[in-house]
Amino acid sequence: MAASDVGAPHKGAKIFVTGHRGMVGSALLRRLQAGGYTQVITRTHAELDLVDQRSVHAFLAEEQPDYIFIAAAKVGGIQANNTYRADFIYQNLMIAANLVHGAHLAGVQRLMFLASSCIYPRDAAQPITEDALLTGALEATNEPYAIAKIAGVKLAECYNRQHGRQYVSVMPTNLYGPNDNYDLATSHVLPALIRKAHEAKQRGDKQLVVWGSGTPRREFLYVDDLADACVHLFEHSYDGPLVNIGCGQDVTIRQLAEVVKEVVGCPAEIVFDTSKPDGTPRKQLDVTRLASLGWRARTPLRDGIARAYAAAPFHTDNHRAST
């Protein structure tokens, strides 16, 4: 089954958004609230530890949500994934297992699991189609995270097949936007570049050092576009196989750094530190399936980076507002 308006959700549906303080969860929250949904429920980590099976199952049994967006995850860039390998596989496995099985036990019929395009094989043919999953070796630096996310996708598939649930999985490309992680020790490439360029400008540095060779290609999607795509599938009662969510275009890390430099207004010269890893050589998603379901990305990369920079916690205007 593809998208259908049969059984489309009503505005009073009880929707549980996990990870609502993160970049993806907060974007989903904004989109649902803007769409007039009146019963969106959330819990902070202090209120509900998603790694704790007993707590998750009890919460879902009590709340009985109509729909769940699984946007919570332990995430990070190459350095964080490579350093905290046990944390990444354990926490993400537990989050997926606890929520999917807990939803089933609570009688929740519909759920959306958000995976990540980095779980595709490292050398998958480009652009990557959904059926490339599990057809080759993973990128070594984020293999533990990828395995946990693949398990989440397969959990959804298995509960659908055995129990007749409507648990769908989506595969977002690289994301950026408000509430991104700008910690240079754990962040992804785009927020890291934004912060590095900002700080280089503030210090008057002559050079802006970028990890790797600058040749890998990446696709980037503004997080509010992702949220819109997820809600589009939700509202059209999508009940089909895995769906890639991206913009369908990629850029080199060098090109990305140049755009960031321009947006931030950083005059420093870009220098590449080739002693640092590049990661996957290229990662662009085939978004044919999503386009056939009536959705396309709207935010151009430069516009999205400008919005992300304006919302960054270290941006001059934001810093003044908080002091």
Side-chain angles (χ1 to χ4, degrees):
M1 178 180 177
S4 169
D5 287 323
V6 177
H10 55 87
K11 298 300 182 181
K14 184 181 279 191
I15 303 168
F16 177 36
V17 178
T18 72
H20 73 284
R21 287 184 167 177
M23 178 173 61
V24 173
S26 61
L28 282 167
L29 205 58
R30 288 193 297 275
R31 176 61 181 82
L32 289 166
Q33 290 170 342
Y37 291 94
T38 58
Q39 289 201 72
V40 181
I41 57 177
T42 61
R43 291 294 185 274
T44 64
H45 176 76
E47 294 169 328
L48 179 64
D49 181 359
L50 297 178
V51 175
D52 183 338
Q53 184 185 79
R54 188 186 300 273
S55 297
V56 172
H57 289 187
F59 169 80
L60 294 175
E62 180 179 352
E63 289 291 336
Q64 293 286 304
D66 298 304
Y67 198 93
I68 301 173
F69 286 99
I70 303 182
K74 181 172 180 60
V75 297
I78 291 176
Q79 182 175 342
N81 271 274
N82 219 7
T83 304
Y84 305 107
R85 297 173 74 85
D87 294 347
F88 273 83
I89 193 168
Y90 174 73
Q91 292 185 33
N92 286 301
L93 277 171
M94 294 303 293
I95 289 169
N98 291 344
L99 285 166
V100 172
H101 187 59
H104 168 66
L105 293 178
V108 179
Q109 180 64 14
R110 300 185 61 208
L111 171 154
M112 183 178 290
F113 177 75
L114 281 83
S116 168
S117 61
C118 69
I119 77 176
Y120 280 126
R122 182 182 190 275
D123 298 317
Q126 303 289 322
I128 308 172
T129 59
E130 288 87 351
D131 59 9
L133 189 65
L134 291 176
T135 60
L138 300 167
E139 161 61 33
T141 54
N142 71 339
E143 184 183 70
Y145 173 81
I147 288 172
K149 283 294 188 178
I150 290 169
V153 172
K154 292 302 175 181
L155 272 167
E157 290 178 3
C158 292
Y159 277 75
N160 293 345
R161 181 169 175 175
Q162 183 175 338
H163 299 294
R165 296 301 184 192
Q166 294 169 275
Y167 295 170
V168 302
S169 296
V170 296
M171 195 79 89
T173 190
N174 298 291
L175 302 169
Y176 67 100
N179 293 322
D180 208 341
N181 171 25
Y182 290 95
D183 182 340
L184 294 179
T186 57
S187 62
H188 289 99
V189 60
L190 184 43
L193 282 174
I194 291 173
R195 180 163 184 178
K196 284 182 176 181
H198 174 80
E199 293 182 349
K201 181 180 74 170
Q202 296 294 100
R203 292 190 300 258
D205 293 350
K206 300 292 186 183
Q207 294 184 335
L208 172 61
V209 179
V210 179
W211 274 30
S213 66
T215 58
R217 302 187 67 89
R218 294 290 183 272
E219 177 184 13
F220 297 93
L221 183 71
Y222 190 62
V223 72
D224 286 275
D225 281 2
L226 167 71
D228 189 63
C230 291
V231 174
H232 174 86
L233 295 174
F234 163 60
E235 290 182 335
H236 288 80
S237 299
Y238 179 72
D239 181 24
L242 179 67
V243 182
N244 286 338
I245 300 181
C247 64
Q249 297 178 327
D250 63 1
V251 295
T252 66
I253 297 301
R254 178 183 290 276
Q255 290 169 326
L256 179 69
E258 292 286 358
V259 175
V260 169
K261 207 167 81 93
E262 178 190 341
V263 168
V264 173
C266 173
E269 176 191 4
I270 296 173
V271 175
F272 292 96
D273 181 358
T274 55
S275 70
K276 301 298 185 182
D278 270 338
T280 305
R282 189 182 184 195
K283 192 174 63 173
Q284 180 186 345
L285 298 185
D286 184 309
V287 293
T288 304
R289 181 173 292 171
L290 182 61
S292 74
L293 296 168
W295 190 91
R296 290 186 182 276
R298 299 181 180 88
T299 308
L301 181 61
R302 192 192 185 287
D303 292 352
I305 291 174
R307 292 181 201 172
Y309 180 47
F314 49 80
H315 191 277
T316 304
D317 292 340
N318 297 331
H319 178 70
R320 285 174 181 165
S322 64
T323 56

